[in-house]
PDB file of all heavy atoms in Angstrom:
ATOM      1  N   LYS A   4      82.116 199.503  69.459  1.00 98.00           N
ATOM      2  CA  LYS A   4      80.668 199.462  69.752  1.00 98.00           C
ATOM      3  C   LYS A   4      80.299 198.082  70.300  1.00 98.00           C
ATOM      4  O   LYS A   4      80.629 197.060  69.698  1.00 98.00           O
ATOM      5  CB  LYS A   4      79.896 199.764  68.467  1.00 98.00           C
ATOM      6  CG  LYS A   4      78.406 199.918  68.701  1.00 98.00           C
ATOM      7  CD  LYS A   4      77.693 200.490  67.475  1.00 98.00           C
ATOM      8  CE  LYS A   4      76.250 200.799  67.854  1.00 98.00           C
ATOM      9  NZ  LYS A   4      75.540 201.545  66.863  1.00 98.00           N
ATOM     10  N   PHE A   5      79.620 198.068  71.432  1.00 98.00           N
ATOM     11  CA  PHE A   5      79.185 196.812  72.049  1.00 98.00           C
ATOM     12  C   PHE A   5      78.286 196.059  71.063  1.00 98.00           C
ATOM     13  O   PHE A   5      77.453 196.662  70.379  1.00 98.00           O
ATOM     14  CB  PHE A   5      78.440 197.106  73.348  1.00 98.00           C
ATOM     15  CG  PHE A   5      78.475 195.979  74.336  1.00 98.00           C
ATOM     16  CD1 PHE A   5      79.644 195.685  75.043  1.00 98.00           C
ATOM     17  CD2 PHE A   5      77.347 195.201  74.566  1.00 98.00           C
ATOM     18  CE1 PHE A   5      79.677 194.649  75.963  1.00 98.00           C
ATOM     19  CE2 PHE A   5      77.376 194.159  75.483  1.00 98.00           C
ATOM     20  CZ  PHE A   5      78.547 193.887  76.184  1.00 98.00           C
ATOM     21  N   ALA A  31      60.500 195.605  72.570  1.00 98.00           N
ATOM     22  CA  ALA A  31      61.370 195.868  73.719  1.00 98.00           C
ATOM     23  C   ALA A  31      62.037 197.233  73.627  1.00 98.00           C
ATOM     24  O   ALA A  31      62.213 197.794  72.538  1.00 98.00           O
ATOM     25  CB  ALA A  31      62.447 194.797  73.790  1.00 98.00           C
ATOM     26  N   LEU A  33      65.379 198.798  73.694  1.00 98.00           N
ATOM     27  CA  LEU A  33      66.744 198.306  73.518  1.00 98.00           C
ATOM     28  C   LEU A  33      67.747 199.445  73.596  1.00 98.00           C
ATOM     29  O   LEU A  33      67.486 200.534  73.078  1.00 98.00           O
ATOM     30  CB  LEU A  33      66.890 197.615  72.159  1.00 98.00           C
ATOM     31  CG  LEU A  33      65.957 196.431  71.874  1.00 98.00           C
ATOM     32  CD1 LEU A  33      66.254 195.863  70.482  1.00 98.00           C
ATOM     33  CD2 LEU A  33      66.116 195.349  72.928  1.00 98.00           C
ATOM     34  N   LEU A  49      64.940 185.775  54.983  1.00 97.00           N
ATOM     35  CA  LEU A  49      64.211 186.803  54.227  1.00 97.00           C
ATOM     36  C   LEU A  49      63.009 187.325  55.001  1.00 97.00           C
ATOM     37  O   LEU A  49      62.758 188.524  55.034  1.00 97.00           O
ATOM     38  CB  LEU A  49      63.782 186.256  52.861  1.00 97.00           C
ATOM     39  CG  LEU A  49      64.940 185.937  51.918  1.00 97.00           C
ATOM     40  CD1 LEU A  49      64.417 185.441  50.574  1.00 97.00           C
ATOM     41  CD2 LEU A  49      65.837 187.145  51.713  1.00 97.00           C
ATOM     42  N   LEU A  51      62.611 187.418  58.212  1.00 96.00           N
ATOM     43  CA  LEU A  51      63.028 188.245  59.351  1.00 96.00           C
ATOM     44  C   LEU A  51      63.536 189.617  58.909  1.00 96.00           C
ATOM     45  O   LEU A  51      63.353 190.607  59.622  1.00 96.00           O
ATOM     46  CB  LEU A  51      64.072 187.528  60.197  1.00 96.00           C
ATOM     47  CG  LEU A  51      63.485 186.488  61.161  1.00 96.00           C
ATOM     48  CD1 LEU A  51      64.561 185.851  61.999  1.00 96.00           C
ATOM     49  CD2 LEU A  51      62.444 187.111  62.075  1.00 96.00           C
ATOM     50  N   LEU A  52      64.140 189.667  57.735  1.00 97.00           N
ATOM     51  CA  LEU A  52      64.558 190.977  57.198  1.00 97.00           C
ATOM     52  C   LEU A  52      63.355 191.914  57.115  1.00 97.00           C
ATOM     53  O   LEU A  52      63.465 193.111  57.331  1.00 97.00           O
ATOM     54  CB  LEU A  52      65.149 190.826  55.795  1.00 97.00           C
ATOM     55  CG  LEU A  52      66.637 190.523  55.677  1.00 97.00           C
ATOM     56  CD1 LEU A  52      66.982 190.240  54.224  1.00 97.00           C
ATOM     57  CD2 LEU A  52      67.483 191.668  56.218  1.00 97.00           C
ATOM     58  N   VAL A  55      61.541 192.112  61.367  1.00 97.00           N
ATOM     59  CA  VAL A  55      62.190 192.624  62.569  1.00 97.00           C
ATOM     60  C   VAL A  55      62.501 194.109  62.427  1.00 97.00           C
ATOM     61  O   VAL A  55      62.717 194.588  61.305  1.00 97.00           O
ATOM     62  CB  VAL A  55      63.438 191.755  62.888  1.00 97.00           C
ATOM     63  CG1 VAL A  55      64.691 192.295  62.232  1.00 97.00           C
ATOM     64  CG2 VAL A  55      63.627 191.604  64.376  1.00 97.00           C
ATOM     65  N   ILE A  59      67.720 196.131  64.179  1.00 98.00           N
ATOM     66  CA  ILE A  59      68.308 194.809  64.418  1.00 98.00           C
ATOM     67  C   ILE A  59      68.742 194.224  63.083  1.00 98.00           C
ATOM     68  O   ILE A  59      67.954 194.130  62.141  1.00 98.00           O
ATOM     69  CB  ILE A  59      67.291 193.864  65.120  1.00 98.00           C
ATOM     70  CG1 ILE A  59      66.972 194.419  66.514  1.00 98.00           C
ATOM     71  CG2 ILE A  59      67.828 192.453  65.196  1.00 98.00           C
ATOM     72  CD1 ILE A  59      66.035 193.547  67.333  1.00 98.00           C
ATOM     73  N   SER A  62      71.797 187.999  60.334  1.00 98.00           N
ATOM     74  CA  SER A  62      73.002 187.258  59.963  1.00 98.00           C
ATOM     75  C   SER A  62      72.635 185.848  59.515  1.00 98.00           C
ATOM     76  O   SER A  62      71.728 185.231  60.093  1.00 98.00           O
ATOM     77  CB  SER A  62      73.944 187.168  61.166  1.00 98.00           C
ATOM     78  OG  SER A  62      75.060 186.340  60.884  1.00 98.00           O
ATOM     79  N   ALA A  80      78.063 183.762  49.713  1.00 98.00           N
ATOM     80  CA  ALA A  80      78.140 185.106  50.304  1.00 98.00           C
ATOM     81  C   ALA A  80      77.488 186.114  49.362  1.00 98.00           C
ATOM     82  O   ALA A  80      76.774 187.023  49.804  1.00 98.00           O
ATOM     83  CB  ALA A  80      79.600 185.462  50.557  1.00 98.00           C
ATOM     84  N   GLU A 111      88.985 180.262  54.280  1.00 98.00           N
ATOM     85  CA  GLU A 111      88.562 180.492  52.886  1.00 98.00           C
ATOM     86  C   GLU A 111      87.178 181.127  52.837  1.00 98.00           C
ATOM     87  O   GLU A 111      86.913 182.035  52.059  1.00 98.00           O
ATOM     88  CB  GLU A 111      88.494 179.163  52.131  1.00 98.00           C
ATOM     89  CG  GLU A 111      89.796 178.755  51.500  1.00 98.00           C
ATOM     90  CD  GLU A 111      89.681 177.385  50.846  1.00 98.00           C
ATOM     91  OE1 GLU A 111      88.585 177.030  50.361  1.00 98.00           O
ATOM     92  OE2 GLU A 111      90.687 176.673  50.861  1.00 98.00           O
ATOM     93  N   LYS A 114      87.347 184.800  53.942  1.00 98.00           N
ATOM     94  CA  LYS A 114      87.878 185.681  52.887  1.00 98.00           C
ATOM     95  C   LYS A 114      86.812 185.903  51.802  1.00 98.00           C
ATOM     96  O   LYS A 114      86.580 187.031  51.355  1.00 98.00           O
ATOM     97  CB  LYS A 114      89.148 185.065  52.291  1.00 98.00           C
ATOM     98  CG  LYS A 114      89.787 185.897  51.184  1.00 98.00           C
ATOM     99  CD  LYS A 114      90.246 187.262  51.677  1.00 98.00           C
ATOM    100  CE  LYS A 114      90.946 188.065  50.570  1.00 98.00           C
ATOM    101  NZ  LYS A 114      90.946 189.509  50.864  1.00 98.00           N
ATOM    102  N   GLU A 148      95.118 181.847  62.780  1.00 98.00           N
ATOM    103  CA  GLU A 148      96.280 182.003  61.892  1.00 98.00           C
ATOM    104  C   GLU A 148      95.932 181.875  60.397  1.00 98.00           C
ATOM    105  O   GLU A 148      96.339 182.744  59.608  1.00 98.00           O
ATOM    106  CB  GLU A 148      97.367 181.001  62.290  1.00 98.00           C
ATOM    107  CG  GLU A 148      98.696 181.351  61.679  1.00 98.00           C
ATOM    108  CD  GLU A 148      99.741 180.275  61.901  1.00 98.00           C
ATOM    109  OE1 GLU A 148      99.455 179.285  62.617  1.00 98.00           O
ATOM    110  OE2 GLU A 148     100.820 180.425  61.341  1.00 98.00           O
ATOM    111  N   VAL A 177      79.236 178.759  82.247  1.00 98.00           N
ATOM    112  CA  VAL A 177      79.798 179.952  81.609  1.00 98.00           C
ATOM    113  C   VAL A 177      81.267 180.121  82.036  1.00 98.00           C
ATOM    114  O   VAL A 177      81.645 179.705  83.135  1.00 98.00           O
ATOM    115  CB  VAL A 177      78.945 181.186  81.999  1.00 98.00           C
ATOM    116  CG1 VAL A 177      79.054 181.485  83.475  1.00 98.00           C
ATOM    117  CG2 VAL A 177      79.270 182.409  81.182  1.00 98.00           C
ATOM    118  N   GLU A 185      91.002 186.901  80.305  1.00 98.00           N
ATOM    119  CA  GLU A 185      92.357 186.444  79.954  1.00 98.00           C
ATOM    120  C   GLU A 185      92.418 186.042  78.468  1.00 98.00           C
ATOM    121  O   GLU A 185      93.325 186.442  77.735  1.00 98.00           O
ATOM    122  CB  GLU A 185      92.765 185.265  80.840  1.00 98.00           C
ATOM    123  CG  GLU A 185      94.179 184.798  80.549  1.00 98.00           C
ATOM    124  CD  GLU A 185      94.559 183.535  81.323  1.00 98.00           C
ATOM    125  OE1 GLU A 185      93.682 182.657  81.523  1.00 98.00           O
ATOM    126  OE2 GLU A 185      95.729 183.436  81.719  1.00 98.00           O
ATOM    127  N   VAL A 228      86.020 192.449  76.714  1.00 98.00           N
ATOM    128  CA  VAL A 228      84.779 191.786  76.253  1.00 98.00           C
ATOM    129  C   VAL A 228      83.880 192.850  75.619  1.00 98.00           C
ATOM    130  O   VAL A 228      83.376 193.734  76.305  1.00 98.00           O
ATOM    131  CB  VAL A 228      84.071 191.052  77.418  1.00 98.00           C
ATOM    132  CG1 VAL A 228      82.704 190.523  76.976  1.00 98.00           C
ATOM    133  CG2 VAL A 228      84.938 189.899  77.919  1.00 98.00           C
ATOM    134  N   ILE A 246      70.990 192.137  75.729  1.00 98.00           N
ATOM    135  CA  ILE A 246      71.266 193.297  74.854  1.00 98.00           C
ATOM    136  C   ILE A 246      71.508 194.541  75.708  1.00 98.00           C
ATOM    137  O   ILE A 246      72.396 195.346  75.422  1.00 98.00           O
ATOM    138  CB  ILE A 246      70.082 193.527  73.881  1.00 98.00           C
ATOM    139  CG1 ILE A 246      69.990 192.373  72.885  1.00 98.00           C
ATOM    140  CG2 ILE A 246      70.216 194.877  73.159  1.00 98.00           C
ATOM    141  CD1 ILE A 246      68.711 192.375  72.042  1.00 98.00           C
TER     142      ILE A 246
END
Side-chain angles (χ1 to χ4, degrees):
K4 187 169 188 170
F5 205 74
L33 302 180
L49 294 182
L51 280 182
L52 272 173
V55 90
I59 296 183
S62 174
E111 272 176 32
K114 180 62 178 159
E148 195 188 355
V177 66
E185 182 186 36
V228 173
I246 292 169

